[in-house]
Amino acid sequence: MKNVLITGSSRGIGAATARLFAKEGCNVYINYNKSEEKALELASSLGACAIKADVGNSNEVENMFASLPPLDILCCNAGIGKTGLIQDMSYEEWREIFSVNTDGVFYCIKNALPKMIQRKSGNIVIVSSVLGLRGGSCEAAYSATKGALIALTKSLSKELGPSGIRVNSVAPGAIDTDMLAYLDATEKAEIISSCSVDRLGSPEDVAKMICFLASDDASYISGQIFGVDGGLII
Ligand code: NAP
């Protein structure tokens, strides 16, 4: 049975990914930070284990990994958004978004790697964003955090390939989760009109790509960034 940790899986894309990995017979570890009730409920419905840790805090990440078995699959999904003009962003806000979205991925990968390298096997899927590929007005900091993950994915694929570890990224477009709750119906309709597929994405749309990339069916795929964006034209 494969051991899988999905960071930020109390809600949204992470929760859908946890459900799918559990359905595929994996031993699922659900990381959460603030949404304890949701994480515990999901874990109990899946027979999984929920672990609290702020991924932006290296000590909490180390403690989380100390309680985990060696991982076959690490899905770095936890993330936060922040919109607004760059000149209005405080130093603290900039640090916070980088701390969760980018530092958090580094902390988790660093802690997962020793056992993966020892076993010469492992699979890492990083959740980036279409904005990391193309950038977004009023989402410069968020886009920068996600762009960093794309460079990290490509670099680690090269560095870790000889150790039997594959590293890939998904770049979701507009996915209907709490992260888009700040948009009203008109703004959502505008985004949909920029997509080839006439709807917002669902968390399950992204989860399916993550699970595929982590599976043996994707054994010849590494260092790639896969858009799951309904053909978004921005
Ligand atoms: P969401 O519904 O807001 O869920 C975010 C998840 O991240 C929650 O489970 C949250 O857990 C967790 N999280 C946030 N800060 C954390 C921290 N410091 N430590 C641990 N967990 C933390 O968002 P989502 O749409 O599912 O987003 C998942 C990923 O997809 C993110 O990386 C996001 O950037 C990316 N993405 C989303 C979209 C979209 O349109 N929705 C598009 C592109 C990329 P708690 O509630 O327990 O704190």
Side-chain angles (χ1 to χ4, degrees):
M1 200 186 269
K2 287 183 178 170
N3 293 321
V4 187
L5 170 69
I6 305 121
T7 67
S9 46
S10 49
R11 301 182 281 119
I13 292 168
T17 305
R19 279 190 210 99
L20 199 50
F21 274 125
K23 198 171 153 195
E24 290 181 355
C26 294
N27 193 17
V28 172
Y29 292 85
I30 293 167
N31 158 253
Y32 67 96
N33 186 31
K34 294 182 180 154
S35 305
E36 182 155 72
E37 207 173 312
K38 286 187 177 166
L40 294 178
E41 218 175 272
L42 180 63
S44 120
S45 75
L46 301 179
C49 183
I51 314 174
K52 178 174 162 45
D54 172 357
V55 295
N57 179 316
S58 57
N59 290 329
E60 291 189 25
V61 171
E62 277 185 19
N63 289 338
M64 170 168 72
F65 272 85
S67 71
L68 291 173
L71 293 181
D72 298 283
I73 300 165
L74 167 65
C75 174
C76 295
N77 165 76
I80 54 173
K82 179 82 196 155
T83 55
L85 295 170
I86 192 76
Q87 64 265 36
D88 293 338
M89 175 166 273
S90 68
Y91 299 138
E92 291 73 24
E93 287 171 323
W94 174 273
R95 262 316 322 145
E96 187 193 5
I97 196 165
F98 268 83
S99 145
V100 177
N101 292 7
T102 310
D103 299 353
V105 173
F106 164 62
Y107 298 151
C108 290
I109 290 175
K110 182 172 167 61
N111 279 276
L113 277 182
K115 286 176 187 161
M116 285 186 175
I117 290 171
Q118 197 181 17
R119 301 160 91 207
K120 275 205 151 276
S121 151
N123 221 301
I124 299 172
V125 183
I126 297 174
V127 180
S128 174
S129 166
V130 69
L131 294 178
L133 287 163
R134 299 183 218 165
S137 172
C138 294
E139 301 205 65
Y142 177 80
S143 303
T145 65
K146 296 298 187 177
L149 298 183
I150 288 168
L152 186 71
T153 300
K154 292 180 181 177
S155 304
L156 289 184
S157 165
K158 292 176 179 167
E159 187 171 319
L160 301 174
S163 299
I165 300 165
R166 293 190 295 111
V167 187
N168 287 291
S169 205
V170 292
I175 310 300
D176 200 5
T177 68
D178 295 343
M179 195 166 266
L180 295 195
Y182 72 97
L183 297 172
D184 63 26
T186 314
E187 290 166 322
K188 284 186 183 174
E190 253 173 48
I191 294 176
I192 293 170
S193 71
S194 311
C195 293
S196 312
V197 180
D198 191 27
R199 63 175 174 85
L200 293 177
S202 69
E204 290 72 25
D205 288 326
V206 184
K208 284 177 198 163
M209 179 58 90
I210 293 170
C211 290
F212 166 68
L213 290 172
S215 75
D216 294 341
D217 288 343
S219 61
Y220 200 54
I221 300 174
S222 191
Q224 304 302 308
I225 318 300
F226 289 90
V228 183
D229 62 7
L232 186 64
I233 307 149
I234 53 165

